[in-house]
Amino acid sequence: MTVSASDFRSAMRQMAAAVNIITTVHEGRRAGMTATAVMALTAEPAQVAVAVNRANASFAAMAASGVFAVNILPHGAAFLASVFAGAKDLSGAERFAHGSWDTLVTGAPILADSVASFDCRIVETVGFSSHELLVGEVVATRLSPGGSPLLYIDGSWANIVRTTDAEFDAYGRLIDTVSDALDMAIGSAASPREQLCAFSRGFAALSVESADVLRHFHLQEIFIPASRLEAINARKREVEAKIRALLIRGAEAGEFDVVDPAITTDAIIGMLNSVHRFPDLAAQDSGAAVGRTFGDMVIAMVSRR
């Protein structure tokens, strides 16, 4: 017993894939289609394969020309993907009115702002039911360093957006500012309670002022290279260690009721970090006002009753 086509498609919809435009040129006429069924075969020789439905209007042009190009679409190119998927009622050469196109070696159209393009000559074809697997020897490539691909999953477009060096540095400076503010608070002659309150208010106020930096970074954090993210996390751990030490001193002084300083530290940072998730709150009040609110909440969390 085999799985039904409907069940198969439903399951495959969960497989995120890069969105590509496969192009060709035959007797001077360009043709192209949107596809996700693209795979790398071998590196030596460099070969890729594309699964194309024989009923697709572009298939005949590819088979006749013996060449094709794979153009990995950049994020934000969903409209172009829709054009070449036939959703805009355009066909054949009409589709190339959208996007900027040139060529490499074979003459197959190359998208100027693709994340990467593979210019190929067909070296083998393999039939599978309604589709033909076109195996192409890659004769030229073009890469846009740092580009982020458009993805397709569960019937929707999706993006991987990488953080830039400038954005990464801005977030790093923000962590340093938080650390400096904590050093200033705990270096004062005030009580542990007053020190924690001053730091919490300053942290929350800074989060309001830097909400755009925080939102942008947290959205992209998962796509930052691990080595760079570890450097940021090391600086965060230094801040956490200082807060834990402050909580322990406050508990020893009888000002704080803290059973587990590590867990309490995580709760405090989680609360203060959440400020940027409430844009309406930041819009209604100044950073200082929001800082007072969150600072009072932190103190209420740890104070001995």
Side-chain angles (χ1 to χ4, degrees), residues 168 217 221-222 224-234 236:
F168 189 90
F217 188 86
E221 188 171 6
I222 192 171
I224 296 172
S227 58
R228 299 198 70 185
L229 195 57
E230 177 55 29
I232 283 288
N233 288 336
K236 288 182 178 179

Side-chain angles (χ1 to χ4, degrees), residues 155-169:
S156 300
W157 309 114
N159 294 321
I160 293 178
V161 182
R162 297 184 177 96
T163 189
T164 66
D165 287 342
E167 292 162 347
F168 189 90
D169 292 342

Side-chain angles (χ1 to χ4, degrees), residues 219-265:
L219 284 173
Q220 302 181 54
E221 188 171 6
I222 192 171
F223 306 117
I224 296 172
S227 58
R228 299 198 70 185
L229 195 57
E230 177 55 29
I232 283 288
N233 288 336
R235 289 147 82 177
K236 288 182 178 179
R237 287 193 291 270
E238 292 175 1
V239 172
E240 293 166 1
K242 294 173 185 177
I243 296 175
R244 283 196 302 272
L246 176 55
L247 292 175
I248 291 171
R249 286 195 292 107
E252 292 173 345
E255 293 187 345
F256 298 154
D257 184 10
V258 177
V259 175
D260 189 321
I263 292 177
T264 305
T265 296

Side-chain angles (χ1 to χ4, degrees), residues 117-183:
S117 293
F118 304 83
D119 197 12
C120 307
R121 289 194 177 96
I122 298 174
V123 294
E124 188 174 353
T125 62
V126 184
F128 291 96
S129 184
S130 59
H131 284 61
E132 198 82 14
L133 190 68
L134 306 181
V135 179
E137 179 183 6
V138 181
V139 297
T141 62
R142 188 165 68 191
L143 176 67
S144 298
S148 297
L150 176 67
L151 302 182
Y152 191 72
I153 182 172
D154 200 17
S156 300
W157 309 114
N159 294 321
I160 293 178
V161 182
R162 297 184 177 96
T163 189
T164 66
D165 287 342
E167 292 162 347
F168 189 90
D169 292 342
Y171 186 75
R173 288 193 297 271
L174 190 58
I175 298 298
D176 290 341
T177 301
V178 169
S179 182
D180 291 343
L182 182 54
D183 287 340

Side-chain angles (χ1 to χ4, degrees), residues 9 33-35 37 50-60 62 128-134:
R9 291 191 184 98
M33 54 176 276
T34 298
V50 181
V52 183
N53 192 316
R54 296 188 194 92
N56 190 292
S58 297
F59 171 72
M62 293 180 194
F128 291 96
S129 184
S130 59
H131 284 61
E132 198 82 14
L133 190 68
L134 306 181

